[in-house]
Amino acid sequence: AKLVLTCSPGMPSFVNGLHPAASLFEHPINLDSAERQHLQMRNHLRKLGAHVFTVTEVLEKMDMQTLQKLAALRLTYEYEGDNPPASVREYLTNEYKYSVVDAMAKEQLITSIMMCPCVKMSGEALHPQYNFDPMGNSVFTRDQQVVTRKGLVMGRMALRPRDGEVKVMRLCFRQLGIEPIGQIPAPFTLEGGDFIPAGDDLCFLGVGIRTSIHAAQYMLENDLFGTSRVAVVRDVFEQCQYRMHLDTVFNIASNRVALMLSSIIGEDKVHRRLVTEYTRVNGVYVTTKLDVEFSKYVAEEGYEIIPVSPEDQLQYVCNFLNAGNGQILASHPLTKTLLEGSKNFQGHVEVIPYDGVTAMYGGIHCSTQVFRNASDAVPETPNYDGPVIRISSLSTGCGLRDGRPKRDWQRLIVAQGGTETSPANAPPPGAADAAVGSTKAQAAATSTPATELMKEASRGSTTAGETMRRRSNPGADMLAEPEPGDDELGSKVSSHDLFLKHRQRSMQAVVGPKMSWKRRQQITDTALLMAPTQFSWNAETAGDHASVPQSFAEITERYGWRSDEELRALALEEFSVLHRELVGAGVTVHLYTHLPVHNTPDAVFARTWFSTHSPEETGGRDACLVLYPLKNESRRRERRHSIIANLEMMHPRELNMSKFEIGTEPRYLEGQSSLVLDRINKVAYAMGGPRTDMVMTSIWANKLKYEVVFFQPVKHVRAFTADILFIGTTFAIFCADVVRPDDRDAVIQRLEATNHEIVYIDEHQMRHFCANVAQLRIGDEKSALVLSARAHSCFSRNDVNIIQKHVSKLIPVKFDTIETIGGSSVGSCIAEIF
């Protein structure tokens, strides 16, 4: 370490410490102890030869004019009420504020900058209130930026109260002669605790609750890393405040030794993390590894991984500072014990007391921003001879379209002759996409670039009547009359033919000899999953499910769950097992997440808003994407532009029915919750109800050339078609008890006519989701039935025997939380991609 920037605890920490729980502090603090220990840490770094500065020391070196401008921005005057009297108005003017700031000494200016004061007046302003929004978390100077091999990149904090820290740190770096090479634009977020360098060749960037996948994508596309490889480490299945940054669970002590949280080590761990690796080839980053389990990836890089228990991780054992030349500065003696007990570690570990600072929720690594010697530029690697995996159209939100970097961030191209938007005036977060990944390397297309995600944030979700961005054929709306030369579904000759042929060849190479075309039409080995990263009880949809609690108070009373965070943690653990089982069975999983700004609590049930159809099913040249009209606004927001764009890459034709969901007479058809498809025989089963409109079903069937079997439930049933009926390749699961007698015979006769062996279930089994299952292909002439453990326990022995005649294996997974709160099950979460 040649230069280290720190921020000593002071008045901001004191004020924040008055309410530690509201200030992101872990415990109440002793400010005297924190200041003393921080000084000891700085002195130790100086002994190692580093130039150490505090933020206050750097601000003191600035000219008065710069400090005055920043202090004026941080100081505000407000009046409580609509019409301040004349005697108060002068105190609300900029002239008054500037007169106050101009009179300040340098120390006062710095205090104002760090404390962000607000003077609130009422009445005659003789007795104002003084409020402060202090930068108490600025002690952790790692968070506001990252220092890559290329240079300094200013971040953007995930929590808005910390935004001011980035501005202050940027000024400090400029004062030190360090000019940023980049700035993460809104709505993306990047925090330095998620960045860990690993030499000239490789760096790690964590993506989770603090750093968004789009920030990683922005840095890749703008060539801000400087290393030949970048490993993006995705936290999908935990997303816990205690492990908010990558440096809380992982750190590198030497070129051969790393510490890692034990509960994320191994492909069998529920909280495992997934790595997508990007390699720089001829100046462009391309995907070379997809969704590799984190510890496996690190071990393959030649590191000895020393596990750290969850209890010790909370004591900041991983959050040490590697000061270079084998010198480690740690706050817990166990760090020294673990490292010096490794034969591969040849350095020295110095342990200093730091509990006064860690009470604020960060360790030594968090509270130091290190700059090392400037290095030569990273050489190009045009002769890289490893495997290059083109980023799948569904594989990763951190990819580059057609392998080309997007460097012009001053222009956001809006489809259909849109406008230009500058990142400097970026809109507030709206619908930016979340991380996605693929688990099979053979996918071969491109992914939505970050420019599209910025556009998405400004536009929100796709709504009815809105012209969405399309491929080179923007008029391919299948509800419109086809233009001359179009095929029957309204799609012109596709530009994706070569891609689709390549994908078919690569798939055949992986799964072996083809299954029969009819069998392949009914099931697939590829699925889109939306991790429940923002899962919660949804008041808007709770009334549609008989089993779902009708209030959160009822949830607490019946199950003891007291917060969305508690529900979400349980749901993520259940979903992690589902993902692990699918990947282990050989299913290609395209894994997405959603963010708070999406406001989509039911997004885990991905089958509701879209379906895909192979060319063999539709009878055309290209695969088809269908978008459905949905009743609830929260479900409509799940139709995110970036996900649709990725789906369009593989499905050039499109039937967009979403415009029917609005107007004076809205109509709904909620995807594969409303429609249960026999793809082999082109028969769609639909149970009438408020979310399954017969007119919509008829339009859909006419466009896709399906026969429809309509039926009605008995009066007391609140359920979807997919809750009552499932159709596999050669068998079906049917709850005849809840269907009107005059309709049930028609359903049974049609199923028997298509040679489906029927497993009959009763209403109790139906309510335990025995029909809400999914059949997936897991190899040549093999398939698996994926279902919840609750559903599996409700099948009789005879039911299981019948099912096992038609599938190679059953994959039951515990799904209690998602079923209880969301009112649906495993089948609704697995959106098959054909």
Side-chain angles (χ1 to χ4, degrees), residues 3 39 190 240 403-404 429 451 453 466 598 608 660 682 727:
L3 186 151
L39 175 61
L190 171 72
C240 172
R404 298 188 296 272
T451 47
L453 299 170
E466 177 182 356
H598 293 130
T608 300
F660 291 105
K682 300 295 289 288
I727 297 177

Side-chain angles (χ1 to χ4, degrees), residues 486-554:
D486 285 6
D487 66 21
E488 202 164 19
L489 286 176
S491 174
K492 298 179 181 177
V493 176
S494 171
S495 62
H496 297 269
D497 288 344
L498 291 177
F499 157 63
L500 293 172
K501 290 178 182 178
H502 171 81
R503 182 175 184 272
Q504 290 171 359
R505 288 197 299 269
S506 63
M507 293 288 287
Q508 292 165 18
V510 172
V511 303
K514 288 184 181 180
M515 302 174 71
S516 68
W517 276 115
K518 283 191 173 182
R519 185 71 59 82
R520 291 193 68 171
Q521 280 184 303
Q522 184 61 25
I523 62 174
T524 178
D525 65 352
T526 305
L528 182 151
L529 269 65
M530 179 67 67
T533 47
Q534 293 301 317
F535 178 74
S536 64
W537 177 77
N538 188 355
E540 192 178 26
T541 60
D544 298 321
H545 305 278
S547 61
V548 173
Q550 298 303 297
S551 69
F552 208 96
E554 184 181 347

Side-chain angles (χ1 to χ4, degrees), residues 256 264 306 630:
R256 297 186 64 188
I264 67 172
I306 300 175
L630 308 176

Side-chain angles (χ1 to χ4, degrees), residues 373-498:
N373 283 333
S375 305
D376 296 332
V378 179
E380 299 286 352
T381 54
N383 298 320
Y384 171 77
D385 56 3
V388 174
I389 305 163
R390 287 295 175 187
I391 302 165
S392 164
S393 61
L394 295 172
S395 65
T396 171
C398 199
L400 311 183
R401 182 182 298 281
D402 297 328
R404 298 188 296 272
K406 302 291 184 181
R407 304 201 188 273
D408 186 3
W409 284 80
Q410 298 306 311
R411 301 185 65 198
L412 302 182
I413 307 303
V414 180
Q416 309 296 329
T419 58
E420 296 183 6
T421 304
S422 168
N425 300 314
D433 200 6
V436 286
S438 175
T439 55
K440 278 193 178 178
Q442 75 273 17
T446 56
S447 166
T448 305
T451 47
E452 295 298 334
L453 299 170
M454 292 181 69
K455 178 183 71 178
E456 177 186 328
S458 68
R459 294 176 60 191
S461 62
T462 305
T463 57
E466 177 182 356
T467 303
M468 296 188 298
R469 181 176 54 81
R470 290 291 168 260
R471 45 216 174 278
S472 59
N473 174 21
D477 183 342
M478 292 162 48
L479 291 176
E481 290 296 321
E483 297 178 8
D486 285 6
D487 66 21
E488 202 164 19
L489 286 176
S491 174
K492 298 179 181 177
V493 176
S494 171
S495 62
H496 297 269
D497 288 344
L498 291 177

